[in-house]
Amino acid sequence: MAGDNSLSDYATLDLKEMMDAGADDNVKVVVLCDRGEGTTLYEVKKGWLEPVESFGNLDTGDPSTLALFLDAIKNRYSYKKIALVFWDHGDGWQDAAFDDSSRSSLKMSEIKRILDSRNFHVDFLGFDECLAGMAEVFYTFKNSSNVTVASEASEPGFGWDYKDLIERLKRNYSWNGEDLGKAAVDSYYQFYTNRTEYCQPDCTLAAVTGKNATDITYYVNLLASYGLNGTVSLLQDYYYARDNSLEPEPVYFPFYVDLYSFSKSLNATTTDLNVKIAATNLMSVIGGIYFKSTNSSLKGVSIYFPNDVYDYFDAYFNSSVNEFTGTLWDDFLVKYYGVLP
């Protein structure tokens, strides 16, 4: 829980939700919480928090803090299944936690490296933050977790409803990660269905399995390869489709597009049969993930696809920062914009 920033008050509210639910003999809830005045490892009890260990004001943007938390879990607790949630601001494919005191952030690629270095596979991986529901993120963690849960849209400050989600899990403690993923989506949707004033333009949450992520990546690669090797006329189809795609956060992040929307627009625009088939198959894969939204305009998965060269970020093409450079998508973008990273 990276709350050393403008979300500190919401961290307090979400901790209260956890306490309202409490833990039991079958479900244990452990939180490493930083709200800017020190960092504490808590066990959540019914109605209260039990401090397990206190630290100085740790930098939640430092990978060593995540390593400390995972080591504490392994050394202090035994478990059959584990869910790991990152709570904070988010900006999509790159960052999962921001620490204002240290002016730093935790990169998705750093999370992956820490998990791999400790051989720490989780049953459920969640991102309670804005914009993390991207093809890049689901690809990064496809082998780290059985299911990854994230929103492609901005999240309201209230985030997930932890009281409801923990209570669901306590009633069904034999769930596997995919079951919990569906419950997280259902809980989030239920919480915001009658609070749509907080959802601009949409409150969404998707539970994407490793197979889902692999299939999405396969068809993204196909579309990228056709764009790379196609004619100027075909590339113009991609331009037109991009211009007519939905953006999950058009004001502050106009360089992300809803992947289903892009595929649908491309399928309707192009006459290239291979591209049409790949776009249709990608729509089918995305349509098969477990996903809910309050507005139904977005479909659960976005991708980095700036509308013009001025939103082209060099960091995206750095393999040490972005795992998705293992695909052809970044190569396609280089051709699309006609520039080199």
Side-chain angles (χ1 to χ4, degrees):
M1 182 171 272
D4 185 354
N5 49 54
S6 61
L7 294 177
S8 178
D9 289 344
Y10 289 106
T12 301
L13 292 174
D14 276 352
L15 285 170
K16 183 179 184 304
E17 289 177 358
M18 296 176 199
M19 289 186 285
D20 287 345
D24 61 17
D25 292 338
N26 299 307
V27 176
K28 186 176 293 294
V29 182
V30 181
V31 184
L32 184 70
C33 180
D34 176 23
R35 283 174 286 183
E37 298 176 352
T39 308
T40 304
L41 183 70
Y42 295 108
E43 280 190 31
V44 177
K45 307 294 185 179
K46 181 70 172 178
W48 61 292
L49 295 173
E50 179 181 322
V52 175
E53 187 172 356
S54 295
F55 308 91
N57 187 19
L58 294 181
D59 176 7
T60 51
D62 187 331
S64 66
T65 300
L66 173 60
L68 178 151
F69 182 44
L70 298 184
D71 290 344
I73 296 298
K74 277 195 167 183
N75 294 334
R76 292 178 181 274
Y77 305 103
S78 60
Y79 49 85
K80 293 181 179 178
K81 294 185 284 283
I82 188 163
L84 176 64
V85 179
F86 290 87
W87 181 107
D88 190 31
H89 287 296
D91 63 2
W93 61 270
Q94 189 167 5
D95 296 291
F98 293 82
D99 189 294
D100 281 5
S101 292
S102 301
R103 298 183 181 181
S104 66
S105 59
L106 186 64
K107 309 301 182 188
M108 295 288 183
S109 57
E110 291 173 333
I111 295 173
K112 173 68 161 50
R113 284 197 289 272
I114 292 297
L115 291 173
D116 288 350
S117 70
R118 279 153 173 75
N119 195 28
F120 204 93
H121 182 89
V122 297
D123 297 272
F124 170 107
L125 180 63
F127 292 96
D128 186 3
E129 60 179 53
C130 296
L131 304 170
M134 301 190 70
E136 292 87 344
V137 174
F138 296 129
Y139 172 85
T140 296
F141 298 107
K142 62 184 174 62
N143 297 321
S144 303
S145 174
N146 296 341
V147 65
T148 300
V149 177
S151 169
E152 72 164 313
S154 293
E155 284 194 358
F158 299 107
W160 295 8
D161 182 357
Y162 288 97
K163 180 178 185 294
D164 178 72
L165 183 57
I166 293 169
E167 287 177 343
R168 289 176 187 241
L169 181 55
K170 286 165 63 178
R171 293 193 298 268
N172 301 275
Y173 61 87
S174 62
W175 274 347
N176 59 31
E178 291 182 35
D179 295 329
L180 182 58
K182 292 177 180 179
V185 171
D186 291 342
S187 176
Y188 189 80
Y189 176 75
Q190 175 183 286
F191 186 78
Y192 288 108
T193 295
N194 297 316
R195 298 178 174 90
T196 53
E197 67 273 18
Y198 296 111
C199 303
Q200 303 299 326
D202 204 353
C203 283
T204 76
L205 204 64
V208 176
T209 66
K211 184 180 186 309
N212 293 152
T214 298
D215 291 343
I216 289 169
T217 304
Y218 176 80
Y219 290 112
V220 167
N221 262 332
L222 270 185
L223 289 180
S225 69
Y226 295 144
L228 272 169
N229 300 308
T231 63
V232 172
S233 176
L234 179 59
L235 202 59
Q236 288 174 340
D237 292 341
Y238 281 71
Y239 276 105
Y240 182 84
R242 171 59 184 87
D243 283 343
N244 290 275
S245 299
L246 293 173
E247 297 171 349
E249 179 44 83
V251 177
Y252 299 107
F253 292 85
F255 25 83
Y256 299 162
V257 299
D258 180 81
L259 191 51
Y260 185 99
S261 173
F262 170 70
S263 302
K264 183 177 180 181
S265 182
L266 183 60
N267 179 60
T269 299
T270 189
T271 58
D272 187 295
L273 183 59
N274 287 329
V275 174
K276 290 178 78 72
I277 291 172
T280 299
N281 286 334
L282 182 52
M283 291 163 61
S284 178
V285 170
I286 294 173
I289 67 175
Y290 198 81
F291 162 77
K292 289 186 178 180
S293 74
T294 57
N295 191 37
S296 299
S297 57
L298 304 174
K299 299 300 181 183
V301 182
S302 65
I303 196 166
Y304 174 76
F305 199 171
N307 204 23
D308 62 57
V309 71
Y310 300 106
D311 288 325
Y312 181 97
F313 295 146
D314 288 352
Y316 186 84
F317 302 87
N318 184 341
S319 61
S320 67
V321 177
N322 181 17
E323 294 274 333
F324 210 59
T325 55
T327 74
L328 293 175
W329 186 250
D330 58 318
D331 303 293
F332 161 71
L333 291 180
V334 170
K335 179 176 181 179
Y336 182 88
Y337 297 108
V339 295
L340 293 175

